[in-house]
Amino acid sequence: MIRNAIGSLLGLIGAAAAVWSPFRAWYDERHGRDYRLTDLFSGSGIDPTDKSGVMTSILLAFLVAALLTLAAVVLRSRVLMGLAAVVVIGVTVLWMVRQGQAVGSLSVGGDGTGLGVGVANAFGGGALLILATAVMRGRPRRRTRAPAPHEPLDLPPVTPTNPAWPPAP
């Protein structure tokens, strides 16, 4: 029970970090909410000048992951928690691949250029979701009742005076 509580808490913190990450800088002071989710899956890739609405951005995928996390907490499901972790880490890695393709390479700079805090929040949230999956025990399995041992039948004892003597082979 305590493992489920700790796993649920870690999962909720991880989901909150993932949902918060698009509101932080992801690359060159551009926020994650400015990247369209469909750009990650299109052939054209990420357009550095294109802006996105909040609900069509990467935030949408992280909101789905947060809903999966909430369902995992309520149902005590390790599978749903793991699926939420895969969504967060998968979208973040896919964004990094597409961003690297768009600009030629990825960099980390201390002056605000390159990868920002939002990417770190997304990876941290995904890592907490993975940790929550590992910590949770999930639901207890239903035990099937073992069949009751066979009780002896109430038959009269076999004796020489009993007509069933000798017992049939």
Side-chain angles (χ1 to χ4, degrees):
M1 185 170 119
I2 192 77
R3 288 180 62 181
N4 280 335
I6 291 171
S8 297
L9 183 64
L10 287 172
L12 291 173
I13 293 170
V19 169
W20 183 44
S21 69
F23 297 101
R24 307 288 306 231
W26 275 52
Y27 196 79
D28 284 340
E29 297 298 320
R30 188 173 173 195
H31 290 256
R33 66 178 183 261
D34 295 335
Y35 295 100
R36 277 194 196 139
L37 185 61
T38 56
D39 288 347
L40 300 181
F41 302 102
S42 70
S44 61
I46 295 175
D47 183 12
T49 60
D50 194 18
K51 293 281 186 179
S52 171
V54 173
M55 290 311 291
T56 60
S57 68
I58 293 174
L59 176 65
L60 182 63
F62 292 156
L63 287 175
V64 169
L67 288 175
L68 285 172
T69 302
L70 287 175
V73 167
V74 169
L75 299 174
R76 292 183 295 183
S77 172
R78 294 178 70 192
V79 173
L80 289 177
M81 190 72 74
L83 187 61
V86 166
V87 168
V88 171
I89 296 291
V91 167
T92 307
V93 168
L94 185 60
W95 173 85
M96 288 180 73
V97 168
R98 297 307 245 168
Q99 182 67 32
Q101 288 174 341
V103 297
S105 66
L106 292 178
S107 63
V108 178
D111 58 349
T113 60
L115 292 175
V117 177
V119 177
N121 284 348
F123 272 124
L128 283 175
L129 287 168
I130 290 172
L131 185 62
T133 304
V135 168
M136 285 180 72
R137 289 187 91 187
R139 283 183 179 231
R141 298 199 186 270
R142 285 189 172 189
R143 293 185 183 181
T144 57
R145 297 186 99 188
H150 296 289
E151 296 185 18
L153 299 174
D154 290 332
L155 296 176
V158 178
T159 61
T161 59
N162 191 348
W165 185 261

